[in-house]
């Protein structure tokens, strides 16, 4: 979630846009609110993750665990927000519980592995470089969507160079490890998106707000369990108490950093789910990538990272792509509404 957030367990495209449920301004307001949740949540989570390492935290399994452990917050929208029903054919046969459980288990394990790779990457890279490498997920998403989901391929160009502001205390040689882990995590995240879309199309065969939320909740549960097992199996849990005591900003700050990191990831998840419900999963991924391109600005303010030419160009390209996508979505919205008005016109003019 864009993750680099576990969070970002998204699949499929919601075919029935809820235009009929909202007035035009209401729909755009909700889209804007969801975008704000995603950008603020993801940017805050990345900054807090880097802060955790900078202040003395060194447990990559703990950094992995906090990316999904707050998933119960998603139960609130699951039980409070009504889900639109999607039409299914009379011959529709629900998939078996065993099959769904197997899919959620496999995806959950992949999420845990993805989050661990992201945690390793953030350990060895500055927040700004980490975020810009993560932005490559759109390129991977295009590739996997082409081969797995048979979607039209769109060429994306990503240029990255070595960062000059590697975190203090990290050997220069670790940069390559962080780069490869982050790049691999971005590829795995994009693969997850395509596999989840495939699950919606071939297994679940229906796409509603509640189904998207359920997939995110159950896969996060599996990922949380896997991360917890990793934390104890690796022995890192033994050092957590000492890590908290030696945290430069104090024990309270240590706990608050972990708590707010977990909450930030779930705020991001709410934004992602909202965009899936209101627009599509592709749109959520685009906004997630834009957020990752904006994060370096926060990193410059908080950690005084250097802003070189490549980072500036990358951010401008991301913002340009975002503006283009928003405009295209606006045109598609107008086209859909005009088509809807055209089909309803004969009924309105009926003499009856």
């Amino acid at each position: 979630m864009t993750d680099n957030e576990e969070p970002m367990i998204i699949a499929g495209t919601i075919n029935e846009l809820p235009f009929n449920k909202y007035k035009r301004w209401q729909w755009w307001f909700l889209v804007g609110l969801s975008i704000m949740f995603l950008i603020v949540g993801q940017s805050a989570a990345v900054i807090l993750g880097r802060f955790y390492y900078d202040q003395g935290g060194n447990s990559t399994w703990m950094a992995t665990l906090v990316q999904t452990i707050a998933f119960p917050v998603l139960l609130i929208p699951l039980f409070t927000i009504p889900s639109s029903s999607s039409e299914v054919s009379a011959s529709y046969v629900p998939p078996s519980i065993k099959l769904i459980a197997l899919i959620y288990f496999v995806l959950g394990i992949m999420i845990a592995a993805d989050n661990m790779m992201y945690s390793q990457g953030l350990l060895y890279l500055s927040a700004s470089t980490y975020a810009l490498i993560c932005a490559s997920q759109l390129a991977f998403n295009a590739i996997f969507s082409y081969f797995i989901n048979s979607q039209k391929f769109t060429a994306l160009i990503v240029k990255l160079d070595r960062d000059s502001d590697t975190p203090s205390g990290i050997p220069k040689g670790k940069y390559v490890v962080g780069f490869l882990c982050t790049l691999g995590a971005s590829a795995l995240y994009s693969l997850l998106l395509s596999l989840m879309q495939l699950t919606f199309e071939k297994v679940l065969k229906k796409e509603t707000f509640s189904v998207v939320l359920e997939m995110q909740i159950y896969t996060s549960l599996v990922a949380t369990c896997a991360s917890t097992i990793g934390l104890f199996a690796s022995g890192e849990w033994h050092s957590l108490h000492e890590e908290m005591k030696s945290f430069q900003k104090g024990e309270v700050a240590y706990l608050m950093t972990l708590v707010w990191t977990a909450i930030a990831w779930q705020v991001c998840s709410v934004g992602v789910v909202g965009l899936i419900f209101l627009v599509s999963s592709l749109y959520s991924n685009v906004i997630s990538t834009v957020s990752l391109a904006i994060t370096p600005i926060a990193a410059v303010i908080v950690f005084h990272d250097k802003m070189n030419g490549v980072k500036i160009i990358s951010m401008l390209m991301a913002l340009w792509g975002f503006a283009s996508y928003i405009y295209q979505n606006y045109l598609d919205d107008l086209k859909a509404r005009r088509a809807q008005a055209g089909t309803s016109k004969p009924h309105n003019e009926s003499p009856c």
Side-chain angles (χ1 to χ4, degrees):
M1 269 218 128
T2 68
D3 93 110
N4 57 310
E5 178 232 333
E6 136 329 335
M8 309 316 97
I9 307 309
I10 312 307
T13 300
I14 302 303
N15 294 321
E16 297 181 356
L17 299 180
F19 290 143
N20 295 331
K21 292 186 176 182
Y22 306 104
K23 294 181 180 179
R24 188 181 184 84
W25 71 267
Q26 291 176 323
W27 184 82
W28 279 103
F29 172 77
L30 291 174
V31 169
L33 188 63
S34 297
I35 290 175
M36 183 187 71
F37 281 170
L38 195 162
I39 291 178
V40 172
Q42 184 162 260
S43 298
V46 172
I47 293 299
L48 286 170
R50 184 63 257 169
F51 179 80
Y52 165 77
Y53 287 133
D54 282 353
Q55 297 301 313
N58 53 28
S59 174
T60 53
W61 277 112
M62 176 56 72
T64 300
L65 180 61
V66 296
Q67 294 184 47
T68 55
I69 196 172
F71 72 88
V73 74
L74 296 179
L75 294 173
I76 298 176
L78 178 64
F79 291 114
T80 58
I81 300 178
S83 177
S84 61
S85 60
S86 60
E87 295 182 2
V88 294
S89 62
S91 59
Y92 171 73
V93 178
S96 67
I97 298 298
K98 291 183 178 180
L99 177 59
I100 295 179
L102 177 61
I103 291 175
Y104 285 171
F105 176 79
V106 172
L107 292 178
I109 295 299
M110 292 177 66
I111 290 166
D114 190 48
N115 291 344
M116 173 51 118
M117 293 173 70
Y118 275 126
S119 297
Q120 289 282 354
L122 189 56
L123 174 63
Y124 299 130
L125 300 175
S126 68
S128 56
T129 299
Y130 166 85
L132 291 177
I133 295 175
C134 288
S136 66
Q137 66 194 35
L138 268 183
F140 289 116
N141 189 64
I143 296 172
F144 289 126
S145 294
Y146 177 77
F147 288 105
I148 297 178
N149 306 123
S150 301
Q151 293 181 352
K152 186 178 180 180
F153 182 80
T154 300
L156 294 173
I157 300 176
V158 179
K159 181 181 179 183
L160 298 166
D161 65 352
R162 177 165 179 165
D163 190 15
S164 59
D165 42 288
T166 303
S168 59
I170 300 297
K172 293 294 184 180
K174 294 293 185 180
Y175 175 88
V176 176
V177 176
F179 180 91
L180 293 177
C181 284
T182 306
L183 194 64
S186 298
L188 182 56
Y189 174 71
S190 298
L191 176 61
L192 278 165
L193 290 180
S194 295
L195 291 177
M196 288 186 171
Q197 181 172 338
L198 190 66
T199 299
F200 268 75
E201 294 174 351
K202 304 298 183 181
V203 180
L204 299 177
K205 297 181 180 178
K206 63 176 182 178
E207 300 167 350
T208 65
F209 182 60
S210 61
V211 171
V212 171
L213 269 180
E214 287 171 2
M215 174 177 280
Q216 194 152 346
I217 289 171
Y218 290 129
T219 53
S220 294
L221 172 62
V222 173
T224 298
C225 292
S227 300
T228 302
I229 293 173
L231 179 64
F232 282 91
S234 65
E236 287 187 3
W237 69 277
H238 289 294
S239 62
L240 292 181
H241 181 67
E242 182 62 31
E243 180 179 282
M244 181 175 65
K245 291 179 62 178
S246 60
F247 201 68
Q248 294 180 24
K249 296 296 183 179
E251 296 181 16
V252 174
Y254 176 82
L255 293 175
M256 288 297 98
T257 298
L258 295 179
V259 169
W260 284 109
T261 301
I263 292 176
W265 280 128
Q266 295 313 311
V267 168
C268 175
S269 294
V270 170
V272 168
V273 171
L275 289 177
I276 288 176
F277 179 59
L278 293 165
V279 191
S280 70
S281 60
L282 173 60
Y283 191 80
S284 294
N285 199 15
V286 169
I287 301 302
S288 177
T289 303
V290 172
S291 172
L292 290 168
I294 293 176
T295 299
I297 299 177
V300 169
I301 297 173
V302 177
F303 302 115
H304 306 293
D305 286 358
K306 296 179 181 179
M307 183 61 69
N308 56 36
V310 172
K311 292 179 181 179
I312 294 175
I313 293 174
S314 297
M315 285 190 294
L316 291 176
M317 289 180 64
L319 293 174
W320 174 78
F322 168 67
S324 300
Y325 198 90
I326 287 287
Y327 181 66
Q328 184 61 51
N329 187 75
Y330 172 76
L331 295 179
D332 293 342
D333 177 17
L334 284 179
K335 184 177 180 181
R337 290 177 184 276
R338 287 172 180 170
Q340 185 180 47
T343 56
S344 61
K345 187 175 181 181
H347 297 287
N348 296 334
E349 295 179 350
S350 174
C352 298

